[in-house]
Amino acid sequence: MSKKDDKQTNPSWGGRFSEQTDAFVEAFTASVDFDRRLYLQDIAGSKAHAHMLQKTGVLDDSDCEAIVSGLDTIIEEIESGRFEWRVSAEDVHMNIEARLTELIGDAGKRLHTGRSRNDQVATDIRLYLRDQIDIIVSQLAEFQSGLLDLAEREADTIMPGFTHLQVAQPVSFGHHMLAWFEMLQRDAGRMHGCRKRMNVSPLGAAALAGTSYPIDRQMTAAELGFSAPAANSLDAVSDRDFAIEFCAASAILMTHLSRMAEELVMWSSAQFDFIELPDRYCTGSSIMPQKKNPDVPELVRGKTGRVNGNLVSLLTLMKSQPLAYNKDNQEDKEPLFDTIDTVVGSLRAFADMVPALQCKRDNMYKAAKQGFSTATDLADYLVRKGLPFRDAHEVVGKAVAHGVANSRDLSDMTLDELKGFSDRIDEDVFEVLSLEGSVAARNHIGGTAPEQVRKAVAGARQRLKGE
Ligand code: ARG
């Protein structure tokens, strides 16, 4: 009597084995707890595979029908919570196949003809990620459109622009929002590019080398909405560069959100006091009654760390794998899913919260009047009156030093006082030294003049529609 006769081995591969998998190993190698979220994609892939096998004559009509209706029953069972997920069946693929065989008998066992879990899982993840990218792209568009409304509303709102977090030159708050818009526009472009490259069908690659059955890879690719079958079977089952690319695009996107978060946190502090975030996005303190904490931006800033970490996980996961599939790849899912969930959650919060912020226009204006934000305008004025720029820079530097010593802005000095630094200065200097004059002067494509901000908003609305 062989060992096999008295020990129960795994129904999916037990033929070659003489003892049962160790219980710890079974739990250690199982992925069902996290890959079950792929059930809809797994079932769509199985249906496409079954339809194709029927067409090429590998499956007869009645088997194909039984498979398709059995899979529909399984969707119902999963969605009503009646489906029993079993760790012993390891992953989403084998859980579904085992249940299908319970439901329809031998036809269920025929589904895996000409297929492997290797091309199956590579297909499932691509289908899933493709849908999630579509969600992310539409969330980005919603957030961007909110930013454009805010930019238009606040085109004339003047705030200090910073370099080195020191007051540099006055800018329009709307212009600042348009900078955020552009960052997100590139993020959306990266998501589109990633989607396009990943949208090829691994089905038919089977374990690694393809299959000896007559298959129609164009047919399964078309049924699943892929642009084409993947060109090489080894590559199709083994690479996860599309997941890496998505995580890289997400890390950049989250880095953008994190920079925005940082500004929101600063601007809502008592020291800046530039904006008021909607109460529904803030929390209080259990001890300090006065507190209104910007928790949501802080959390988004914090979550950027895990998304960056997920990218590094996937890069490291891939870097030493020989072709073709290795079990290492099962580790792709948790970082990928966590990235998706984090990005979707963060965008949802920002798309709602940011356009609802209130500008404290007077405070921004007052802050822009500090720090000699129109010093460059005075230098440019002197250049227009014939002084070389370097000399003008020197003259204005002295005027600023005088202002610092006397706690006075350039625009608060008298004409005589200013003339003391250069006799080229006349009465018309005061237009130049005003915040309004400073922003209005930067009247070119990409500049901060309110007129340009309004034009840029209109142009951005077109681009948002077109892409
Ligand atoms: N759960 C596995 C994964 O996520 C499915 C593929 C398993 N393939 C294999 N040859 N063991 O990668």
Side-chain angles (χ1 to χ4, degrees):
M1 202 168 83
S2 75
K3 265 189 177 173
K4 210 188 148 205
D5 296 326
D6 54 17
K7 299 252 165 79
Q8 237 197 329
T9 56
N10 187 295
S12 296
W13 61 66
R16 189 220 180 284
F17 286 68
S18 57
E19 62 173 351
Q20 232 185 320
T21 316
D22 183 274
F24 164 73
V25 173
E26 188 178 271
F28 189 72
T29 54
S31 55
V32 64
D33 284 346
F34 50 85
D35 67 15
R36 54 202 261 192
R37 74 156 86 183
L38 299 171
Y39 73 94
L40 275 179
Q41 291 70 27
D42 195 69
I43 287 174
S46 289
K47 284 183 182 174
H49 183 64
H51 287 143
M52 183 278 291
L53 291 180
Q54 176 195 26
K55 190 201 132 203
T56 61
V58 177
L59 271 186
D60 63 32
D61 294 0
S62 65
D63 280 349
C64 179
E65 265 166 42
I67 287 171
V68 170
S69 79
L71 290 171
D72 283 334
T73 305
I74 290 174
I75 294 182
E76 278 167 35
E77 289 182 353
I78 294 173
E79 292 184 346
S80 64
R82 283 180 289 128
F83 191 90
E84 196 198 326
W85 295 100
R86 280 178 287 213
V87 171
S88 59
E90 196 179 314
D91 56 23
V92 60
H93 325 292
M94 294 203 291
N95 266 273
I96 290 174
E97 192 189 302
R99 179 65 185 142
L100 184 66
T101 302
E102 268 171 30
L103 286 170
I104 65 169
D106 278 355
K109 295 190 199 162
R110 293 202 178 95
L111 171 62
H112 213 52
T113 314
R115 179 175 84 164
S116 154
R117 276 186 296 155
N118 296 352
D119 58 346
Q120 198 178 350
V121 70
T123 303
D124 293 3
I125 309 172
R126 284 166 200 258
L127 289 174
Y128 181 79
L129 183 54
R130 197 177 71 185
D131 288 350
Q132 298 302 312
I133 289 179
D134 290 343
I135 292 171
I136 289 169
V137 165
S138 73
Q139 284 184 308
L140 275 169
E142 190 197 325
F143 181 21
Q144 287 179 286
S145 141
L147 282 177
L148 293 180
D149 295 342
L150 180 59
E152 189 167 49
R153 199 162 75 227
E154 306 294 342
D156 294 303
T157 302
I158 293 177
M159 68 181 284
F162 299 91
T163 60
H164 313 268
L165 201 56
Q166 309 288 318
V167 171
Q169 292 170 351
V171 294
S172 145
F173 185 83
H175 193 56
H176 199 112
M177 294 301 101
L178 288 177
W180 290 4
F181 172 92
E182 293 300 329
M183 288 145 78
L184 298 172
Q185 184 73 356
R186 291 190 297 278
D187 290 321
R190 274 182 281 272
M191 290 292 170
H192 280 294
C194 173
R195 186 195 196 281
K196 192 164 164 244
R197 271 182 290 283
M198 67 174 276
N199 195 29
V200 290
S201 174
L203 275 189
L208 75 165
T211 175
S212 58
Y213 294 95
I215 55 168
D216 182 346
R217 298 193 63 208
Q218 301 284 359
M219 181 180 166
T220 40
E223 176 166 337
L224 295 170
F226 286 118
S227 62
N232 180 285
S233 65
L234 297 169
D235 176 50
V237 290
S238 66
D239 209 345
R240 295 292 182 266
D241 61 348
F242 63 89
I244 296 176
E245 189 177 355
F246 170 77
C247 286
S250 297
I252 299 175
L253 164 56
M254 287 300 294
T255 300
H256 285 156
L257 297 186
S258 183
R259 297 185 67 191
M260 296 172 196
E262 171 69 6
E263 294 191 318
L264 294 172
V265 170
M266 282 193 306
W267 292 346
S268 56
S269 70
Q271 286 65 35
F272 275 82
D273 205 17
F274 284 1
I275 59 165
E276 186 77 31
L277 288 173
D279 280 0
R280 65 183 185 281
Y281 276 95
C282 298
T283 60
S285 158
S286 53
I287 172 168
M288 296 166 284
Q290 85 282 11
K291 294 277 279 189
K292 178 176 163 185
N293 296 327
D295 288 40
V296 171
E298 289 174 282
L299 263 179
V300 167
R301 191 176 58 190
K303 284 174 188 291
T304 304
R306 47 198 282 181
V307 171
N308 290 351
N310 290 340
L311 169 61
V312 174
S313 293
L314 287 189
L315 286 166
T316 314
L317 172 69
M318 209 70 235
K319 72 177 275 290
S320 304
Q321 285 193 49
L323 289 175
Y325 177 87
N326 303 282
K327 184 77 166 182
D328 311 41
N329 275 348
Q330 183 165 289
E331 288 288 308
D332 63 357
K333 289 170 204 62
E334 288 158 295
L336 180 65
F337 295 161
D338 183 63
T339 300
I340 292 169
D341 295 345
T342 307
V343 167
V344 168
S346 303
L347 280 175
R348 183 195 158 142
F350 269 41
D352 185 32
M353 175 185 68
V354 176
L357 65 79
Q358 292 300 324
C359 283
K360 298 186 172 175
R361 295 176 185 148
D362 293 346
N363 294 351
M364 290 188 193
Y365 193 88
K366 260 185 240 145
K369 286 215 57 148
Q370 287 160 15
F372 306 93
S373 65
T374 56
T376 316
D377 296 275
L378 181 56
D380 292 342
Y381 168 90
L382 289 168
V383 168
R384 283 196 297 277
K385 302 260 168 164
L387 209 59
F389 183 77
R390 277 291 153 233
D391 295 339
H393 189 286
E394 173 76 16
V395 166
V396 179
K398 289 194 173 123
V400 167
H402 172 76
V404 170
N406 299 284
S407 305
R408 307 245 299 282
D409 185 53
L410 295 173
S411 60
D412 298 331
M413 294 180 192
T414 63
L415 184 57
D416 282 347
E417 231 173 339
L418 287 167
K419 268 187 178 303
F421 299 102
S422 167
D423 54 13
R424 294 172 204 251
I425 296 178
D426 288 315
E427 190 64 51
D428 58 354
V429 74
F430 292 106
E431 264 165 59
V432 162
L433 292 180
S434 76
L435 300 180
E436 289 80 1
S438 172
V439 292
R442 285 155 174 80
N443 194 7
H444 52 73
I445 295 171
T448 196
E451 190 189 329
Q452 288 296 333
V453 170
R454 277 184 273 270
K455 275 192 198 159
V457 167
R461 285 211 175 99
Q462 288 309 113
R463 283 154 68 205
L464 202 51
K465 266 193 242 150
E467 282 192 33

